Amino acid sequence: MPDNEWDPEDYDEGHGFVAEYGRDVVRLLDPQPGERILDLGCGTGTLTAVIADSGAEVVGIDAAESMVEQARERYPDLHFAVADAREYEPDAFDAVFSNAALHWIPDEDHDAVLSMVSEALGETGRFVAEFGGRGNVQRVERAVRAELDARGYDTNHSWYFPSVGEYAPRLAAHGLEVTDAALFDRPTELDGGASGLREWVGMFGDELFEGVSEADREAILDGVEERLRPDLYDSETETWTADYRRLRFVAEPTR
Ligand code: BEZ
């Protein structure tokens, strides 16, 4: 999985929109009292707690220890574990939920994750997930790559942002039939005002900047802002809007 250096406090305070948008995905999940639900990539636990409020019994897992520590501190009554979804050995669950996490898992590792989800659900239940879909943050990513490229840095890292047509057969190969799916634009206003784009790249783009000197990093961020300002910045409100696209789906064990 790409190694991002997670700062849980900054994640909650400066990127709260991640969980805010995720509430829609919880609504789609429609958790019921007594259901056992696995929250895959739970981060600091905000949505795990929303799911638990329904009366469901939730287990939140995340590969980042710092995030799980924060989740446990915030919600001591809930159950969290540090676990890599590719290697997790699940109990039986009625549903698996995931918001804004699966794009961190490289393309070639999704089969291991889907196999785990399929095992968790057995013959019934549902997998409800949303993550970055094809074209997600493409303008931002291209601008960063162009600036890195111009300074001779390697730009081989990438997140995984599939289309519906690409992901549905992968789910099917693991016995998970898509019953609802959409790929949609969701322009997303970034927190942080005039420095919102820098902060976003600072929070999520560690891997892109691996091996980049501090001085170059600042110059690259200046260049990225310059490239994107005409299209993604509103100077009146001092707000950056990133070109998010979401892949959202519900899949169920094939009958
Ligand atoms: C996303 O939620 O789409 C996302 C967040 C960070 C990096 C890449 C994508």
Side-chain angles (χ1 to χ4, degrees), residues 55 60 74 113 120-121 124 129 132 142 161 166 187 190 196 211 215:
R74 293 174 76 201
V113 175
L121 294 177
T124 56
R142 283 188 179 158
F161 299 138
E166 184 181 344
L190 304 180

Side-chain angles (χ1 to χ4, degrees), residues 32-199:
Q32 299 298 310
E35 281 192 320
R36 278 185 47 79
I37 297 178
L38 177 65
D39 180 3
L40 197 168
C42 64
T44 57
T46 306
L47 295 178
T48 321
V50 174
I51 295 168
D53 281 346
S54 69
E57 198 186 309
V58 200
V59 175
I61 64 167
D62 202 288
E65 205 173 330
S66 59
M67 296 295 237
V68 170
E69 265 171 29
Q70 176 93 338
R72 285 182 174 140
E73 223 167 90
R74 293 174 76 201
Y75 307 107
D77 295 337
L78 301 186
H79 184 184
F80 297 100
V82 179
D84 185 323
R86 295 167 293 192
E87 288 156 18
Y88 187 61
E89 291 181 10
D91 299 329
F93 286 93
D94 297 300
V96 177
F97 169 86
S98 184
N99 179 59
L102 292 171
H103 46 246
W104 292 103
I105 295 171
D107 181 347
E108 63 272 19
D109 291 345
H110 273 250
D111 290 306
V113 175
L114 296 180
S115 163
M116 181 280 281
V117 171
S118 176
E119 187 185 334
L121 294 177
E123 291 179 8
T124 56
R126 61 208 186 277
F127 180 26
V128 179
E130 182 177 302
F131 61 110
R134 191 177 55 77
N136 190 44
V137 294
Q138 191 171 74
R139 287 176 165 197
V140 177
E141 190 173 353
R142 283 188 179 158
V144 176
R145 286 181 188 285
E147 290 295 319
L148 286 165
D149 220 28
R151 289 167 180 80
Y153 288 109
D154 214 6
T155 57
N156 57 9
H157 157 276
S158 64
W159 298 293
Y160 177 52
F161 299 138
S163 63
V164 174
E166 184 181 344
Y167 211 65
R170 292 190 83 160
L171 287 156
H174 293 277
L176 297 164
E177 185 176 39
V178 171
T179 56
D180 187 9
L183 175 68
F184 56 96
D185 288 327
R186 198 201 66 200
T188 298
E189 288 188 5
L190 304 180
D191 294 322
S195 51
L197 184 63
R198 297 179 96 79
E199 288 175 15

Side-chain angles (χ1 to χ4, degrees), residues 7-17 19 43-46 67 70 74 191 203:
D7 177 337
E9 308 260 340
D10 189 25
Y11 183 77
D12 281 341
E13 281 164 26
H15 307 275
F17 63 83
T44 57
T46 306
M67 296 295 237
Q70 176 93 338
R74 293 174 76 201
D191 294 322
M203 179 80 204

Side-chain angles (χ1 to χ4, degrees), residues 139-140 143 197 224-233 240:
R139 287 176 165 197
V140 177
L197 184 63
V224 169
E225 283 184 338
E226 209 166 298
R227 281 174 191 268
L228 297 177
R229 197 179 304 280
D231 294 329
L232 301 186
Y233 187 63
W240 287 95

